[in-house]
Amino acid sequence: MLAESYIWKDALRLGAWIDHASGTRCLFHYEAGHSPAAVTMEHPQGAATYRLGFDQIGSLKLVVLPDANGGKLIKEMAYDSFGTMLNDSNPELFLPVGFASGLVDRHTGLIRFGYRDYSTELGRFTAGSICFGLPATHTATVICGITVWMIRSTASTRGGWKQKA
């Protein structure tokens, strides 16, 4: 049986998330940027639209139910610098967007960023960087808008990096 579904608006923006076990459906609304501004949560009991508050790196911090008085705080979250959840005021209200706008896998605890999973427990990605079309020994770095190609030297006894001509 299918547990969860993700529907994308485009390559970077999540359009909807469906939890097939509970019947919950989240529809994400965007104003600008890659982080959603609001979410409409549809449950078997009803629906509500919440405003979402993010910090400077895109971590979901606040979920607010708007009303005539400005809004009611529904959920508040805090993370450490490696993405570990320090506080979740309403763990029953699950949203798949979390630390740095990554997709939270509530079953494994990993956070998905594009093609790689990030472990908050380890404070690092679980796999190396993906360079499409290049052998694993090559990497490209952009410094001040200039692409610098580096190649792992097999001749060096130190195993350092040398700039490719």
Side-chain angles (χ1 to χ4, degrees), residues 11-51:
L12 297 174
R13 299 183 306 162
L14 183 61
W17 171 77
I18 303 166
D19 181 355
H20 297 281
S22 70
T24 301
R25 190 168 85 160
C26 295
L27 305 172
F28 294 94
H29 311 283
Y30 295 83
E31 291 174 356
H34 302 303
S35 298
V39 61
T40 300
M41 295 188 76
E42 298 174 351
H43 304 279
Q45 303 86 359
T49 299
Y50 302 99
R51 294 292 296 178

Side-chain angles (χ1 to χ4, degrees), residues 50-116:
Y50 302 99
R51 294 292 296 178
L52 304 176
F54 293 86
D55 66 7
Q56 73 278 7
I57 64 167
S59 297
L60 182 60
K61 303 289 275 185
L62 301 171
V63 178
V64 177
L65 181 61
D67 63 15
N69 299 322
K72 177 182 175 188
L73 183 63
I74 302 297
K75 182 178 181 95
E76 185 173 10
M77 296 175 291
Y79 308 90
D80 69 6
S81 56
F82 295 103
T84 303
M85 179 77 67
L86 299 175
N87 179 41
D88 185 351
S89 66
N90 187 354
E92 292 82 31
L93 178 67
F94 175 76
L95 289 170
V97 179
F99 177 68
S101 290
L103 295 179
V104 178
D105 184 334
R106 61 181 161 178
H107 307 292
T108 64
L110 298 174
I111 300 173
R112 173 65 82 163
F113 292 104
Y115 295 101
R116 299 191 298 168

Side-chain angles (χ1 to χ4, degrees), residues 117-129:
D117 291 318
Y118 176 78
S119 169
T120 58
E121 209 172 284
L122 299 174
R124 61 182 295 171
F125 286 98
T126 58
S129 182

